[in-house]
Amino acid sequence: MPLLVVQSFIAYFRVSTEEQSDSGLGLEAQQEKVRSLVQSRGGEVIDEFTEIESGRKSKRPVLAQALEAARKAKAVLVVAKLDRLARDAELVNRLSKEVAGNGFPGLLFADLPDVDATNAAGRMILGVMAQVAQFEAERIGERTREALAAAKKRGVKLGGRREEAVKAAHERKGEALERAEALRGLIAPLVDAGQSRRAI
């Protein structure tokens, strides 16, 4: 799907914790993906916003500032990955609709570079991908709660930051994102063929 050619971009980056922000964990990779994509489009990042917040929260002041800057500059908001914008399907759908009806040139994701949020098919793909990301986030939460309850029953002392738990969480997240990405190849042809969201 062709994207609207726009020279100006506003970059939005999100990390989930202060520690990630301080250490640069995840942030440098996001910045590299965005720089590479903008450069490939012959564009220029005119402003950058970085937020430290959960992707499942819909009230995010830095995201609001980035969106306002994009509206004022008539710039495209560019994000490294869909889940960096949000793991909340409702929020992604609302922003996609705003692209269509409020003078906001677009949303662009480095992990979905061919998805155009300015048309119905692109908004549908983003909506489905956002639902998958939200589902995976919720399932990770459910599995974590179940595992903690089982461990507590076995008498395991809970609390504190354990490197094994952190590593396992990162692995689960990577697996979830891989599954979501794998679905994109199945969904895009159905959208191109004119299938409805219900049918897909």
Side-chain angles (χ1 to χ4, degrees):
M1 286 177 278
L3 283 159
L4 183 66
V5 177
V6 178
Q7 294 296 312
S8 297
F9 295 85
I10 299 289
Y12 174 77
F13 307 109
R14 183 183 65 77
V15 290
S16 298
T17 66
E18 287 281 358
E19 184 175 313
Q20 284 179 323
S21 177
D22 293 341
S23 69
L25 181 62
L27 189 56
E28 287 182 13
Q30 291 179 53
Q31 291 168 337
E32 181 55 37
K33 284 177 181 289
V34 165
R35 276 194 293 267
S36 178
L37 180 60
V38 171
Q39 190 174 39
S40 74
R41 302 290 171 104
E44 178 186 4
V45 175
I46 59 173
D47 208 349
E48 295 184 1
F49 294 83
T50 301
E51 186 151 48
I52 305 163
E53 189 56 85
S54 166
R56 295 180 67 183
K57 289 191 177 179
S58 58
K59 290 185 179 179
R60 303 220 303 274
V62 177
L63 175 58
Q65 292 169 15
L67 291 167
E68 183 60 25
R71 289 184 199 103
K72 284 182 178 175
K74 299 292 184 190
V76 167
L77 184 73
V78 60
V79 186
K81 300 182 76 173
L82 178 61
D83 73 341
R84 294 296 86 198
L85 179 68
R87 286 184 177 274
D88 178 334
E90 184 180 339
L91 175 60
V92 172
N93 286 334
R94 180 165 51 80
L95 293 176
S96 295
K97 287 177 185 175
E98 182 179 354
V99 168
N102 200 19
F104 177 28
L107 292 169
L108 185 60
F109 302 93
D111 64 333
L112 301 166
D114 298 322
V115 176
D116 182 359
T118 64
N119 63 46
R123 287 191 297 277
M124 185 172 119
I125 291 174
L126 285 179
V128 172
M129 294 298 289
Q131 287 173 345
V132 170
Q134 180 174 323
F135 167 76
E136 290 294 346
E138 290 170 356
R139 282 295 295 132
I140 289 169
E142 289 171 2
R143 288 193 295 266
T144 301
R145 286 190 295 275
E146 290 165 4
L148 288 173
K152 192 172 181 180
K153 277 186 179 179
R154 291 193 311 270
V156 175
K157 183 181 176 186
L158 302 177
R161 185 177 175 86
R162 293 178 173 81
E163 292 305 318
E164 299 83 10
V166 172
K167 183 179 177 183
H170 281 295
E171 288 173 359
R172 285 195 302 272
K173 179 180 173 184
E175 290 167 4
L177 293 175
E178 284 176 15
R179 285 195 293 275
E181 181 64 20
L183 284 175
R184 181 161 62 109
L186 298 173
I187 294 167
L190 296 174
V191 171
D192 292 340
Q195 292 281 339
S196 68
R197 182 181 295 192
R198 184 181 294 272
I200 292 172

